[in-house]
Amino acid sequence: MLYKELISHIQGRYGEFGGMYVPEILMAPILELIKVWNNAKVDNIFNQTLNLILKNYAGRPTVLTEVPTFAAMINGPRVFLKREDLLHTGAHKLNNALGQCLLAKKMGKTRVIAETGAGQHGVAVAAAAAHLGLTCVVYMGSKDMQRQAPNVSRMKLMGASVISVEQGSATLKDAVNQALRDWSESFVDTHYCLGSALGPHPFPEIVAEFQSVIGRECHKQSQDLIGSDPDLVIACIGGGSNAIGIFSGFLNNKKVRMIGVEAGGHGRLLGEHAARFATATCGVLHGCYTYVLQDQYGQIASTASISAGLDYPAIGPQHAHLYKSKRVEYVSASDQEALSALKLLAKSEGIICALESAHALAHLIKIAPDLSKDHSVVVSLSGRGDKDLPQLMNSGVI
Ligand SMILES: *Cc1c(COP(=O)(O)O)cnc(C)c1O
């Protein structure tokens, strides 16, 4: 299980957040999923099978790398990076995709569907489905398909069908709507492989559990490299899966400070960022009660970020609870700050991280001079930056 405070949830509540706000037709597959999941999470064979796949196919454990040159350049404490960029397909998303595809097989499903924004989750599910012999369909906004053409090709190469979504703003939230529609008609043979710690119960719990491998490894590696838990853990937050994954390894130790970094985009007005806690208003999106970016009438606001992976108007319910209970601090970093951070890490350490992950580094750069030099900071490097090269070239970074 994730950690003590989150265990006590009833029907997927984290404090007041979470729940299952779905149309009646989706209750059938959700109840089936809850039943199989409750069984799978304590099933030794299921967990052993998943661990072997994570090791021999995905490349776990990922290393924890100290970056002293970067640390010196930011006048900071010791800095360690948890290298999810080294995982197969280039980001932490594969941990969840493999877990859910294995769960789909346990349920006797032959087909998986998924939504994707930047295409990272789509690529992870396409890979997991190919590896495990499942049919795969990915819903993607038509705008995103244009912006992320290489990832569309990757998914197709691995045998997935990519369906273009023209509705709404033709981006991620519209792709989620279409995937939910598909699921309501296809759940007899289909599992919906949701991509972040979001959506109706039991998805936030399932995704957080599959990503908790990051925190477990990092906890152990910290003992080996630092000799204790780190003083501070920082992660970027789109829906919140890499963050809850790494945080879960340290939440029980009250001495470990934690910071989640949202996308500050290019301005403070609604529509110019994806910093849900900047306005901190609650509502329901995609089956989940949480903090959402919305206008005065409760219509979901548009969002903006240089990193597609952080560009979503709601945040996972575990983070909503950790914010309200003040266990974790939440801040934002702007597009420009993320670009500078990416550049600095690449030059100083030879690591090109994803623009998403660069948001976490950007906040560290901001606070580094005020941190004690003998402190240790772990940053979740959620993915690699190859996918962002076109964006970097457009922004004049290269
Ligand atoms: C998708 C993605 C994210 C954001 O998703 P979370 O669920 O918040 O982790 C962050 N980093 C990378 C590299 C991603 O691909």
Side-chain angles (χ1 to χ4, degrees):
M1 285 304 282
L2 198 56
Y3 75 103
K4 271 186 269 163
E5 283 168 61
L6 295 186
I7 290 174
S8 61
H9 60 263
I10 303 156
Q11 306 236 295
R13 288 285 176 178
Y14 305 91
E16 72 214 69
F17 304 104
M20 339 181 219
Y21 296 85
V22 297
E24 222 165 305
I25 186 150
L26 281 177
M27 283 312 287
I30 282 180
L31 291 173
E32 182 193 13
L33 183 59
I34 291 173
K35 202 167 138 214
V36 177
W37 168 241
N38 283 340
N39 179 284
K41 66 186 174 189
V42 293
D43 177 348
N44 283 339
I45 302 211
F46 178 83
N47 286 310
Q48 278 164 16
T49 310
L50 179 58
N51 286 340
L52 275 179
I53 299 171
L54 287 172
K55 176 170 177 244
N56 296 323
Y57 173 68
R60 298 216 73 90
T62 60
V63 294
L64 185 67
T65 305
E66 181 160 16
V67 284
T69 311
F70 177 79
M73 289 184 84
I74 65 172
N75 187 23
R78 291 181 77 183
V79 179
F80 299 83
L81 307 178
K82 180 59 176 159
R83 302 288 305 281
E84 293 303 292
D85 60 314
L86 296 177
L87 198 67
H88 178 45
T89 70
H92 68 291
K93 295 222 165 62
L94 190 66
N95 299 320
N96 170 52
L98 284 168
Q100 286 203 46
C101 283
L102 201 61
L103 200 59
K105 287 188 83 155
K106 193 176 163 69
M107 285 190 281
K109 312 288 181 190
T110 54
R111 176 176 177 264
V112 288
I113 54 174
E115 83 294 340
T116 199
Q120 292 303 103
H121 175 55
V123 167
V125 176
H131 188 65
L132 294 170
L134 295 161
T135 304
C136 176
V137 174
V138 180
Y139 287 92
M140 190 169 185
S142 58
K143 217 183 262 171
D144 289 334
M145 283 181 75
Q146 281 167 19
R147 290 193 287 198
Q148 308 288 339
N151 273 343
V152 176
S153 304
R154 283 187 191 106
M155 288 182 256
K156 288 183 175 166
L157 211 51
M158 291 186 282
S161 315
V162 184
I163 299 185
S164 167
V165 177
E166 316 283 347
Q167 283 91 343
S169 55
T171 57
L172 179 60
K173 80 173 162 47
D174 313 289
V176 176
N177 289 338
Q178 280 310 108
L180 285 169
R181 239 165 249 151
D182 178 317
W183 202 33
S184 68
E185 291 163 10
S186 65
F187 56 77
V188 173
D189 68 353
T190 298
H191 172 64
Y192 177 20
C193 188
L194 210 148
S196 189
L198 282 172
H201 179 65
F203 283 108
E205 182 188 318
I206 291 176
V207 178
E209 184 67 27
F210 287 142
Q211 294 295 0
S212 68
V213 64
I214 307 173
R216 271 196 307 280
E217 283 176 11
C218 193
H219 181 267
K220 185 170 175 296
Q221 291 164 329
S222 301
Q223 313 312 308
D224 293 345
L225 280 177
I226 306 168
S228 67
D229 283 352
D231 299 285
L232 171 63
V233 180
I234 309 181
C236 67
I237 307 210
S241 70
N242 88 90
I244 200 70
I246 196 163
F247 289 171
S248 68
F250 305 99
L251 277 167
N252 286 332
N253 181 354
K254 290 276 186 306
K255 285 194 204 130
V256 181
R257 182 182 173 199
M258 285 179 220
I259 305 178
V261 187
E262 301 184 284
H266 56 81
R268 287 171 185 276
L269 298 176
L270 204 59
E272 294 179 341
H273 61 82
R276 286 72 39 118
F277 292 125
T279 48
T281 58
C282 294
V284 170
L285 181 63
H286 297 138
C288 178
Y289 179 71
T290 182
Y291 292 93
V292 295
L293 287 167
Q294 56 195 317
D295 69 14
Q296 73 217 79
Y297 307 108
Q299 294 297 310
I300 300 304
S302 57
T303 50
S305 170
I306 193 165
S307 63
L310 303 186
D311 200 353
Y312 181 74
I315 191 159
Q318 290 112 327
H319 290 291
H321 179 57
L322 291 168
Y323 167 81
K324 195 151 190 199
S325 60
K326 298 195 163 66
R327 173 64 184 91
V328 177
E329 299 158 52
Y330 293 87
V331 298
S332 65
S334 71
D335 289 351
Q336 283 309 321
E337 290 166 338
L339 283 167
S340 313
L342 183 148
K343 219 169 137 180
L344 186 65
L345 182 69
K347 273 225 169 95
S348 60
E349 298 284 351
I351 299 170
I352 301 172
C353 70
L355 272 169
E356 288 83 1
S357 325
H359 284 71
L361 290 171
H363 187 69
L364 174 59
I365 293 172
K366 249 183 261 176
I367 61 170
D370 300 326
L371 298 172
S372 164
K373 293 286 171 286
D374 58 6
H375 273 195
S376 297
V377 181
V378 168
V379 177
S380 171
L381 216 72
S382 52
R384 67 173 181 235
D386 309 44
K387 67 178 177 61
D388 296 319
L389 283 182
Q391 203 85 357
L392 296 174
M393 284 155 83
N394 282 340
S395 330
V397 168
I398 0 177

